[in-house]
């Protein structure tokens, strides 16, 4: 099968308009005859489910949470970009498009990114209408700030909880449709499989997390909006429940997996303190505006920060990147922190941390100014670590945060399985090898409110979707049986080792070998060890209880089982991509002075993997990327 | 650190529950309460006992999933804190800690510490929104929102829907939640068109779900992890009566 | 999940209006307000005890001379009182039902004792009022004091009160009841403003203090009478013997 991205012809500025005017429409009276399953109710899922229902489709929405308001979109702090140019500082759709393509290190599809930039303005309008309480100026207009190292102020925000407010907006509008009976909401229902009939996605299988009941649900199209898979690293900034299972099972039913090795590592997280730690907490990158990052010059220096004299401190970002200094992009800041820690100069427990020091800023600006700018972040840090960042420098360390990789989709957000659409972080589409700050929320809402509701209609209007016959019934039943067998198998292993322990070991391995820095021997070794660990898991995991009631260990075990397979694919993808791009430093591909070297000759494509029955036998397909509007340039921050 | 943990164990919605006593040894002071409970579960697993079912997700105090009544206080002893952001250094070494689920008739226990809070969703489904379809919106700056109004709205919108207000209220009342939902919109120009209708429909659903009535004890405010003010309850009461007198609220 | 619950029953317009928890709280608050006003007026009348026998007995004559108006006031007061108590009990039952399983351990962070015991303080005051009426209005508690007549042939209310409070048990019960009333009012008065939606950030500091303040003034005023009697400041008129 060849990969066809189905990008409309014409000038990049006209593609989306053209698509919308030329797409086939479903007669309004017929829309209610179409049913759509939406899996997940984060920004993308909730906005899609609500908008599809507004259009008149019958929607069934499934979430594993107890409520559609809990998805991890809620934790995004910083903001959402939009090319409104309200600040009159020269922003435009073109500039947002350009920044996103370049920020993604030229590994994203131009047409998609342009559309995203174009829609960004409508997202803000719609969210305001929905009552999202964005920050305002005294005159009553929307406030903006600059974010993530771009040169314009285009980020809209709601205190430090933009994600929560945008999600509550989508949740509210979804709730309205549930109240109207247009959406049937299924909470505590985890998707366990996609049902494909005659080559098209026609339903899903779910497990009721309270009763353990496995059931299949039919539909005319399936939309997956289940987010990313950073939790493959065990310690990440993602919520504990965030998982890969929905997209992984879809992958195993025929959806190609795009760029699985592309993950984003966020530089300013609170480091892990001990063995019992369950997750890492992200702190806003804005801290780097005033904080200076350093480590001791000598290895193993155990002195307290305050007793290390100035001459024995290494402000390594300022030293290596004099023009950007502490504001170097996320990927560079993260990688440099790892380097100094690998060099034995890390600080804090386990020596995995670097100082983010506000001493000079406090001396220069005074404590009240720092309090006003960062008070809530300092409080959060103090609450978590028990240390006072006004007196001792903060310790930070990079952590997995977002996955740019995901299921491959075409311009219509449809995967390689017709009728299976993938939106939000779950797809691979718009961020290339590195995501700019404040653009994840933008993509989720663009997909859900505006793009999918159009493209899904085009799919319905141009496809014949006969009622499911005996074959369809059989497919639904047998997929359900397979899911039942999976859960029964897991509870029957009755081994000795806790699921958690497997997940931690897998995560540590992935972080070491498939994190910020990678090399061929390490990746090969990781693939071997993942295989061995997976084998042990399937014979020795301890899942207590039964599969017929609320059993969180069982839910977790099934998710970890999928992580094993995904982890292997991630390593294979990382192994084949012999270039450094975005946040991924391939050690074999570096410039003489140790900087990342991208290889546009060989790797200017999307790597989409096809499952062929066994992960190790996955087949790679390439979607070549052409850059007709933003010309390929090397990123330099020296 | 070491603790004696008394945890509510209940097999299912209809079953009778009881407190069981466990030991948690070797707990780091830097562990969060959730991490301590996770370690306890791993220990239980090793002993052949079934782990305690409890919910937690984002672990950064924003998703509203975690819900434990710790020593009789929703989300434990620290002010403005969710269970997942509560750290063991807040407890005395050697202490006995009692953990119960959030209790209310409208929040039935599903298992151990897991409760069903879907009543909140059903309240929102009745009116906790602005009725506007995608594609209808005017420019974001077409309606000016004075900064103080936007801030008040945001104060209310911070609610994470965890249910601590209901859990702590002696009357099992959901007034703080409902008032926060209503005030989020009632303090914005965009929310005016449906202001009274929204208030009445949400209050009616709140009553139907079997939540108690507010007797203005303000315990909810004290335990709210987002420190939502009871001022919004006053506003809800006012809007409810104004709406009733205007005859708003019909379907 | 679709909204569940039994099919809505058709209610009368009034029943529909007063069926909700918030409307019922308005009833408790507004009747509470009226009862507070009564308590204040009643206090002003009672404080005439300090002005002596003549003033009090004349005041009583004046009240009784109101004729039908007095009955309107009495019936109105009874209706208000019954509404206040019955609606409060209705809400109390609803609130009990809202938590069918009690906590094994429950602590309190900021709710005042007064706010948590309204139903008990209210019930106690209710019982007190019955006793109070039996004593001073119907003359059934200490009947020997009930039919005194002063030198001008008026019903000697003044002496009846003084004689009553000279009984230490009566005074003790009265003072105790007033302290409970204080608890009820200190929460109730402030709470009323919140329930009727008047309490907003600007007035909250005032209304939150008004309850404790007004309750204290009222209760000090009421307690002053038995204390005055016991201290001999309010004395029996010449010619009346205990």
């Amino acid at each position: 099968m060849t990969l066809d991205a189905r990008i409309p012809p014409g000038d990049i500025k006209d593609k989306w308009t053209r698509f919308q005017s030329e797409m086939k429409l479903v007669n309004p009276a017929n829309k209610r005859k179409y049913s759509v399953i939406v899996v997940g109710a984060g920004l993308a899922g909730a906005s899609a489910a609500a908008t599809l229902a507004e259009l008149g489709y019958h929607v069934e929405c499934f979430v594993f949470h107890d409520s559609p308001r809990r998805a991890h979109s809620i934790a995004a702090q910083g903001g959402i970009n939009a090319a409104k140019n309200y600040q009159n500082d020269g922003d435009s759709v073109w500039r947002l498009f350009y920044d996103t393509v370049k920020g993604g290190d030229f590994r994203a599809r131009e047409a998609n990114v342009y559309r995203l930039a174009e829609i960004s303005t409508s997202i803000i309008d719609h969210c305001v209408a929905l009552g999202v309480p964005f920050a305002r100026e005294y005159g009553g207009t929307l406030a903006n700030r600059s974010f993530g190292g771009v040169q314009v102020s285009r980020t809209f925000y709601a205190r430090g909880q933009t994600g929560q407010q945008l999600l509550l907006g989508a949740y509210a509008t979804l709730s309205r449709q549930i109240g109207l009976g247009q959406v049937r909401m299924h909470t505590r229902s985890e998707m366990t499989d996609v049902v494909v009939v005659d080559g098209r996605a026609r339903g899903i299988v779910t497990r009721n997390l309270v009763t353990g009941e496995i059931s299949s649900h039919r539909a005319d199209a399936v939309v997956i909006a289940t987010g990313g898979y950073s939790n493959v690293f065990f310690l990440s900034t993602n919520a504990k429940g965030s998982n890969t299972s929905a997209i992984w099972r879809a992958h195993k039913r025929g959806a190609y997996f795009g760029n699985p090795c592309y993950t984003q590592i966020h530089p300013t997280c609170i480091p892990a303190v001990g063995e019992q730690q369950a997750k890492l907490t992200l702190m806003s990158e804005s801290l780097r505006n005033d904080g200076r990052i350093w480590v001791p010059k000598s290895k193993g220096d155990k002195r307290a920060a305050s007793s290390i004299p100035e001459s024995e401190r290494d402000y390594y970002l300022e030293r290596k990147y004099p023009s950007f200094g502490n504001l170097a992009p996320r990927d560079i800041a993260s990688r440099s922190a790892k380097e100094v820690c690998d060099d034995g100069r890390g600080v804090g427990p386990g020596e995995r941390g670097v100082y983010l020091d506000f001493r000079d800023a406090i001396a220069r600006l005074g404590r009240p100014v720092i309090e006003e700018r960062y008070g809530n972040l300092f409080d959060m840090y103090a609450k978590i670590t028990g240390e006072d960042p006004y007196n001792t420098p903060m310790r930070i360390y990079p952590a997995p945060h977002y996955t740019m990789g995901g299921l491959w989709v075409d311009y219509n957000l449809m995967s390689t399985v017709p009728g299976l659409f993938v939106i939000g972080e779950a797809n691979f589409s718009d961020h290339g090898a590195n995501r700019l700050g404040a653009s994840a929320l933008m993509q989720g809402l663009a997909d859900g409110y505006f793009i999918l509701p159009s493209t899904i209609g085009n799919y319905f209007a141009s496809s014949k979707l006969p009622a499911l016959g005996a074959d369809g019934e059989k497919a639904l039943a047998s997929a359900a049986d397979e899911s039942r067998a999976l859960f029964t198998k897991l509870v029957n292993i009755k081994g000795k080792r806790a699921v958690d322990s497997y997940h931690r070991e897998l995560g540590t391995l992935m972080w070491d070998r498939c994190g910020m820095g990678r090399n061929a021997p390490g990746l090969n070794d990781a693939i071997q060890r993942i295989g061995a660990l997976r084998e042990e898991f399937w014979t020795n995991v301890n899942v207590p209880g039964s599969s017929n009631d609320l059993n969180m260990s069982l839910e977790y075990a099934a998710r970890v089982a999928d992580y094993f397979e995904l982890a292997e694919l991630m390593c294979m993808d990382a192994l084949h991509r012999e270039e450094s791009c975005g946040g991924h430093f391939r050690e074999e591909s570096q410039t003489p002075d140790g900087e990342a070297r991208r290889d546009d000759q060989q790797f200017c494509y999307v790597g989409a993997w096809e499952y062929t029955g066994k992960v190790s036998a996955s087949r790679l397909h390439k979607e070549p990327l052409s850059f007709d509007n933003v010309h390929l340039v090397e990123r330099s921050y020296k | 650190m070491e603790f004696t943990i008394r945890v509510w164990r209940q097999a299912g919605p209809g079953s009778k529950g009881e407190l069981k006593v466990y030991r948690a040894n070797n707990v780091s002071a830097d562990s969060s309460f959730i991490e301590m409970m996770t370690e306890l579960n791993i220990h239980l697993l090793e002993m052949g006992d079934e782990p305690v079912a409890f919910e937690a997700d984002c672990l950064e105090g924003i998703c509203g999933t975690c819900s434990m009544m710790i020593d009789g206080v929703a989300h434990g002893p620290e002010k403005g804190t969710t269970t997942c952001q509560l750290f063991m250094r807040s407890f005395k070494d050697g202490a006995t800690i009692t953990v119960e689920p959030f209790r209310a008739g409208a929040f039935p226990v599903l298992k151990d510490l897991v409760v069903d809070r879907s009543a909140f969703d059903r309240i929102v489904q009745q009116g906790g929104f602005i009725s506007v379809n995608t594609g209808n919106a005017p420019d974001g700056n077409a309606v000016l929102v004075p900064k103080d109004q936007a801030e008040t709205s945001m104060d209310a919108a911070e609610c994470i829907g965890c249910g601590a207000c209901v859990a702590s209220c002696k009357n099992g009342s959901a007034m703080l939640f409902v008032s926060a939902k209503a005030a989020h919109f009632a303090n914005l120009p965009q929310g005016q068109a449906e202001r009274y209708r929204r208030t009445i429909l949400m209050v009616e659903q709140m009553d139907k779900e079997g939540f108690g009535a507010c007797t203005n004890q303000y315990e909810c405010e004290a335990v709210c992890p987002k420190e939502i003010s009871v001022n919004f309850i006053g506003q809800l009461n006012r809007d409810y009566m104004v709406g009733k007198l205007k005859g708003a609220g019909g379907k | 999940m679709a909204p569940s619950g039994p099919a809505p029953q058709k209610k009368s317009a009034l029943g529909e209006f007063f069926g909700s928890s918030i409307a019922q709280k308005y009833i408790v608050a507004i009747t509470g307000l009226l009862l507070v006003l009564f308590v204040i007026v009643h206090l002003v009348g009672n404080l005439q005890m300090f002005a002596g026998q003549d003033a009090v007995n004349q005041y009583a004559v004046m009240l009784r001379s109101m004729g039908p108006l007095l009955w309107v006031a009495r019936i109105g007061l009874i209706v208000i009182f019954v509404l206040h108590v019955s609606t409060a009990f209705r809400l109390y039952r609803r609130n009990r039902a809202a938590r069918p399983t009690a906590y094994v351990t429950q602590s309190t962070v900021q709710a005042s004792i007064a706010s948590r015991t309204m139903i008990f303080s209210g019930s106690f005051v209710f019982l007190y009022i019955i006793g109070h009426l039996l004593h001073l209005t119907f003359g059934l508690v200490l009947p020997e004091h009930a039919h005194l007549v002063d030198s001008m042939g008026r019903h000697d209310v003044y002496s009846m009160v003084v004689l009553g409070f000279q009984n230490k048990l009566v005074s003790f019960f009265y003072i105790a009841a007033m302290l409970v009333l204080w608890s009820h009012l200190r929460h109730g008065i402030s709470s009323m403003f919140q329930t009727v939606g008047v309490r907003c950030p600007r007035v909250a500091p005032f209304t939150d203090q008004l309850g404790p303040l007004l309750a204290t003034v009222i209760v000090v005023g009421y307690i002053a009478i038995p204390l005055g009697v016991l201290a001999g400041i309010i004395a029996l008129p010449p010619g009346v013997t205990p």
Side-chain angles (χ1 to χ4, degrees):
Chain A
M1 178 171 160
T2 53
L3 283 176
D4 179 3
R6 296 190 183 85
I7 297 169
D11 188 272
I12 193 157
K13 290 180 177 172
D14 304 326
K15 286 179 193 290
W16 179 237
T17 320
R18 184 164 172 168
F19 173 87
Q20 284 183 297
S21 17
E22 291 177 3
M23 70 180 183
K24 296 206 175 93
L25 297 174
V26 179
N27 180 319
N30 282 339
K31 279 185 181 148
R32 65 188 167 78
K33 295 179 189 159
Y34 287 100
S35 60
V36 184
I37 282 174
V38 178
V39 188
L43 283 186
S47 57
T51 307
L52 290 170
E54 287 164 11
L55 290 171
Y57 297 110
H58 177 73
V59 179
E60 304 267 338
C61 185
F62 296 82
V63 296
F64 69 77
H65 286 108
D66 66 323
S67 159
R69 56 152 292 135
R70 310 234 189 260
H72 197 57
S73 310
I74 210 160
Q77 299 169 356
I80 176 167
N81 286 333
K84 278 285 195 185
N85 193 28
Y86 280 156
Q87 306 307 317
N88 196 27
D89 56 0
D91 198 12
S92 63
V93 168
W94 185 267
R95 195 175 290 280
L96 176 55
F97 157 64
Y98 179 89
D99 287 348
T100 307
V101 170
K102 186 180 170 212
D105 216 0
F106 300 93
R107 291 294 175 266
R109 201 187 276 153
E110 271 194 338
N112 283 52
V113 178
Y114 192 86
R115 176 176 64 185
L116 176 64
E118 204 178 342
I119 289 173
S120 67
T121 58
S122 310
I123 296 173
I124 297 302
D125 299 341
H126 187 53
C127 289
V128 167
L130 287 176
V132 173
F134 285 118
R136 300 274 171 169
E137 304 293 351
Y138 278 106
T141 54
L142 290 156
N144 290 117
R145 61 183 171 200
S146 111
F147 197 84
V150 296
Q151 288 158 308
V152 291
S153 289
R154 62 160 76 103
T155 303
F156 295 78
Y157 60 99
R159 293 198 187 146
Q161 1 179 308
T162 318
Q164 190 202 13
Q165 293 313 317
L166 293 173
L167 182 64
L168 289 182
Y171 161 74
T173 199
L174 170 63
S175 294
R176 173 174 157 238
Q177 296 300 327
I178 299 170
L180 293 171
Q182 282 292 107
V183 176
R184 264 184 63 195
M185 191 70 219
H186 306 259
T187 55
R188 297 188 192 274
S189 296
E190 182 156 28
M191 180 193 126
T192 59
D193 213 343
V194 174
V195 181
V196 180
V197 181
D198 291 333
R200 293 179 188 274
R202 293 302 299 269
I204 63 168
V205 179
T206 60
R207 178 168 185 272
N208 179 318
L209 299 184
V210 180
T211 64
E213 189 197 351
I214 305 277
S215 47
S216 43
H217 310 265
R218 64 196 65 203
D220 297 303
V222 175
V223 180
I224 296 188
T226 54
Y229 49 86
S230 294
N231 273 344
V232 71
F233 295 101
F234 185 76
L235 282 180
S236 83
T237 67
N238 280 13
K240 293 309 286 175
S242 301
N243 67 78
T244 189
S245 290
I247 58 172
W248 189 255
R249 311 269 167 90
H251 170 60
K252 291 172 85 169
R253 293 287 179 187
Y256 292 5
F257 208 118
N259 300 331
C261 80
Y262 284 172
T263 52
Q264 184 170 64
I265 315 289
H266 196 285
T268 52
C269 298
I270 301 175
V273 288
E275 292 293 297
Q276 300 173 349
Q277 188 147 354
K279 79 159 259 169
L280 298 169
T281 301
L282 182 145
M283 285 190 302
S284 171
E285 247 181 313
S286 61
L287 288 169
R288 289 200 281 144
N289 290 335
D290 286 306
R292 297 180 72 195
I293 295 172
W294 63 276
V295 289
K297 277 187 177 161
S298 50
K299 294 182 188 184
D301 191 337
K302 294 276 181 215
R303 285 175 293 175
S306 55
S307 44
I308 300 178
E310 198 63 23
S311 59
E312 291 175 45
R313 299 180 173 195
D314 179 11
Y315 295 91
Y316 57 88
L317 283 177
E318 297 172 20
R319 171 171 59 79
K320 288 183 353 189
Y321 308 97
S323 62
F324 275 74
N326 294 302
L327 290 173
R330 283 182 180 179
D331 48 349
I332 289 175
S334 295
R335 200 164 60 236
S336 306
K338 180 175 187 285
E339 275 167 17
V340 292
C341 293
D342 288 347
D343 191 33
R345 297 190 287 144
V347 297
E351 286 156 20
R352 304 311 287 182
V354 299
Y355 288 126
L356 177 61
D357 198 339
F358 287 84
R359 186 192 62 182
D360 296 349
I362 291 172
R364 187 176 75 244
L365 302 164
R367 182 170 162 150
V369 175
I370 296 297
E371 264 176 29
E372 196 204 319
R373 283 186 194 167
Y374 309 111
N376 57 342
L377 294 167
F378 276 44
D379 291 348
M380 180 174 87
Y381 182 87
K383 195 187 257 183
I384 292 174
T385 61
E387 294 172 6
D388 174 14
Y390 291 103
N391 294 316
T392 45
M394 287 184 178
R395 287 172 294 106
I396 55 166
Y397 200 63
H401 166 58
Y402 185 90
T403 50
M404 282 75 69
L407 293 183
W408 184 91
V409 288
D410 63 15
Y411 189 75
N412 301 330
L413 304 180
M414 191 165 79
S415 71
T416 48
V417 176
L420 178 69
F421 292 79
V422 190
I423 58 177
E425 190 181 349
N427 72 25
F428 89 104
S429 69
D430 300 348
H431 306 296
N434 178 47
R435 182 176 62 73
L436 285 184
S439 59
L441 304 181
M442 173 173 69
Q443 186 223 335
L445 291 180
D447 288 1
Y449 280 132
F450 295 99
I451 304 172
L452 178 90
S454 292
T455 59
I456 210 167
N458 185 53
Y459 168 74
F460 287 143
S462 50
S463 317
K464 275 212 159 36
L465 294 166
L468 289 184
D471 282 0
E473 297 298 334
K474 234 175 95 183
L476 285 164
S478 80
D481 286 342
E482 281 180 47
S483 289
R484 264 180 221 111
L486 168 79
F487 291 107
T488 312
K489 187 174 171 190
L490 282 166
V491 289
N492 284 336
I493 295 172
K494 300 198 192 303
K496 292 265 176 281
R497 195 171 161 189
V499 182
D500 187 90
S501 146
Y502 284 103
H503 191 187
R504 276 175 201 268
E505 187 174 340
L506 174 70
T508 312
L509 180 64
M510 288 299 285
W511 175 246
D512 287 343
R513 301 295 159 89
C514 197
M516 288 177 284
R518 297 130 182 222
N519 58 48
L523 288 164
N524 277 316
D525 176 55
I527 292 170
Q528 296 299 320
R529 285 169 57 185
I530 291 166
L533 193 61
R534 182 171 58 209
E535 223 162 274
E536 194 207 313
F537 173 87
W538 281 108
T539 51
N540 193 32
V541 71
N542 182 357
V543 183
S546 89
S547 59
N548 301 322
D549 68 350
L550 199 161
N551 185 342
M552 291 173 166
S553 310
L554 178 60
E555 295 162 25
Y556 189 24
R559 292 169 190 171
V560 171
D562 290 328
Y563 283 135
F564 277 118
E565 299 188 339
L566 169 71
E568 184 176 351
L569 187 69
M570 286 172 73
C571 291
M572 289 165 62
D573 187 46
L575 184 62
H576 108 279
R577 192 167 278 280
E578 293 169 344
E579 66 161 349
S580 301
C581 67
H584 316 97
F585 190 66
R586 182 62 186 253
E587 286 159 19
E588 294 91 330
S589 178
Q590 48 181 301
T591 60
D593 53 350
E595 291 300 314
R597 194 176 64 81
R598 206 176 65 220
D599 184 350
D600 293 327
Q601 291 299 317
Q602 289 193 71
F603 294 101
C604 194
Y605 61 78
V606 176
W609 295 84
E610 178 188 1
Y611 184 78
T612 59
K614 217 177 148 202
V615 179
S616 57
S618 298
R619 193 175 298 139
L620 177 67
H621 299 262
K622 297 175 183 176
E623 180 204 338
L625 293 170
S626 66
F627 292 89
D628 306 322
N629 298 282
V630 183
H631 297 296
L632 285 162
V633 288
E634 216 172 285
R635 296 198 308 160
S636 170
Y637 297 95
K638 286 272 170 182
Chain B
M1 301 175 88
E2 295 190 350
F3 300 99
T4 303
I5 312 287
R6 303 199 303 156
V7 188
W8 185 261
R9 304 301 307 259
Q10 182 172 338
S15 349
K16 214 171 127 47
E18 58 173 341
L19 284 178
K20 286 210 172 163
V21 182
Y22 303 105
R23 295 285 305 162
N25 298 328
N26 257 329
V27 177
S28 155
D30 291 324
S31 280
S32 72
F33 203 86
I34 297 294
E35 285 161 356
M36 184 277 293
M37 291 294 291
T38 307
E39 286 300 310
L40 175 66
N41 270 348
I42 291 173
H43 176 69
L44 290 181
L45 192 62
E46 283 163 1
M47 307 289 288
D49 209 339
E50 198 176 340
V52 181
F54 64 86
E55 288 186 294
D57 199 28
C58 77
L59 304 194
E60 44 192 274
I62 193 75
C63 74
T65 307
C66 59
S67 50
M68 291 185 196
M69 201 73 177
I70 300 167
D71 285 339
V73 179
H75 292 305
E78 299 286 335
K79 205 170 157 49
T81 301
T82 55
T83 303
C84 67
Q85 291 276 285
L86 175 67
F87 290 85
M88 296 315 291
R89 67 179 86 91
S90 300
F91 296 88
K92 273 209 190 85
D93 196 5
T96 297
I97 305 172
T98 306
V99 190
E100 291 181 75
F102 280 4
R103 293 189 193 282
F107 288 174
V109 173
L110 296 178
K111 187 175 183 177
D112 298 342
L113 304 175
V114 180
V115 297
D116 177 2
R117 286 167 285 185
S118 54
F120 273 9
D121 290 327
R122 290 190 291 275
I123 291 172
V124 173
Q125 284 155 19
Q126 291 308 304
F129 45 76
I130 292 175
S131 298
V132 54
N133 284 1
T134 311
N136 279 311
D139 185 84
N141 269 341
V143 177
L144 298 178
V145 183
K147 191 179 171 73
D148 56 343
Q149 277 185 28
E151 294 292 326
T152 307
S153 168
M154 183 67 205
D155 288 341
E158 285 204 18
C159 168
I160 58 174
C162 63
C165 45
V166 175
S168 69
C169 178
K170 307 291 184 279
N171 306 329
S173 168
M175 285 287 278
L176 191 64
F177 170 78
V178 175
S179 70
K181 286 284 136 194
H184 166 191
F185 298 117
N187 288 291
L188 288 175
Q190 304 94 298
Q192 297 309 308
E194 293 169 285
R195 178 172 182 168
Y196 300 110
R197 184 183 141 82
R198 170 188 308 122
T199 303
I200 290 168
L201 293 178
M202 285 205 291
V203 168
E204 281 174 358
Q205 186 64 30
M206 171 184 89
D207 282 353
K208 253 188 234 166
E209 296 289 349
F211 290 106
C214 176
T215 53
N216 307 326
Q217 303 180 16
Y218 307 155
E219 189 67 3
C220 49
E221 181 185 69
V223 301
C224 174
K226 294 294 154 188
E227 301 179 72
I228 304 230
S229 165
V230 293
N231 290 338
F232 297 125
I233 297 182
Q235 189 177 15
L236 182 82
N237 287 332
R238 181 165 66 246
D239 280 6
Y240 179 82
M241 192 47 69
V242 171
K244 273 290 179 188
L245 295 174
K246 284 181 173 211
K251 282 266 181 179
Chain C
M1 241 172 271
S4 56
Q9 287 173 351
K10 193 88 187 124
K11 283 186 190 162
S12 68
L14 209 64
E16 200 269 335
F17 196 90
F18 290 113
S20 82
S21 60
I22 291 186
Q24 289 173 17
K25 282 167 11 151
Y26 266 88
I27 294 175
V28 177
I30 290 168
T31 52
L33 170 71
L34 296 171
L35 289 171
V36 169
L37 291 179
F38 166 74
V39 162
I40 291 170
V41 171
H42 188 51
L43 174 64
V44 172
N46 286 8
L47 285 178
Q48 297 182 69
M49 285 298 290
F50 286 96
Q53 185 191 27
D54 182 54
V56 174
N57 290 355
Q58 188 53 43
Y59 175 64
V61 168
M62 191 270 288
L63 283 183
R64 296 205 174 207
S65 68
M66 283 162 63
L69 220 66
L70 180 65
W71 281 105
V72 170
R74 278 177 169 168
I75 291 168
L77 197 58
I78 289 169
V79 168
I80 290 167
F81 189 74
V82 167
L83 267 178
H84 186 79
V85 173
S86 63
T87 315
F89 268 95
R90 240 176 111 183
L91 284 166
Y92 178 70
R93 276 203 309 275
R94 174 193 196 94
N95 294 345
R96 297 265 86 186
R99 177 160 300 126
T101 314
Y103 287 105
V104 179
T105 312
Q106 189 173 15
S107 319
T108 300
V109 183
Q110 80 173 25
S112 64
I113 294 173
S115 73
R116 287 185 285 131
T117 51
M118 288 299 275
I119 200 75
F120 306 113
S121 58
S123 303
F124 190 83
V125 169
F126 178 75
L127 292 178
Y128 158 75
I129 288 170
I130 291 175
H132 188 63
L133 290 176
L134 290 177
H135 175 202
L136 297 178
T137 306
F138 302 113
L140 296 174
V141 172
L142 295 168
E144 63 273 25
H145 302 150
H147 303 291
L148 299 173
V149 176
D150 70 5
S151 57
M152 291 170 71
R154 299 171 298 198
H155 179 212
D156 193 356
V157 177
Y158 179 83
S159 300
M160 177 172 74
V161 170
V162 176
L163 285 168
F165 282 141
Q166 280 180 347
N167 181 327
K168 293 217 168 79
L169 196 70
V170 170
S171 279
F172 174 80
F173 182 64
Y174 181 90
I175 292 171
M178 286 305 108
L179 292 175
V180 174
L181 179 67
W182 176 79
S183 170
H184 197 73
L185 291 183
R186 64 158 290 182
H187 177 69
I189 293 172
S190 293
S191 181
M192 196 172 69
F193 291 97
Q194 172 83 334
T195 299
V196 301
V198 173
R199 184 183 179 277
C200 62
R202 261 162 302 150
V203 307
F206 174 72
T207 57
D208 288 356
Q209 291 310 312
L210 187 64
L213 193 75
L214 199 54
T216 306
V217 170
I218 290 171
V219 167
V220 165
Y222 276 115
I223 290 180
I225 297 165
L227 290 181
V229 170
L230 290 176
I233 298 168
I234 301 173
L236 278 176
V240 183
T241 47

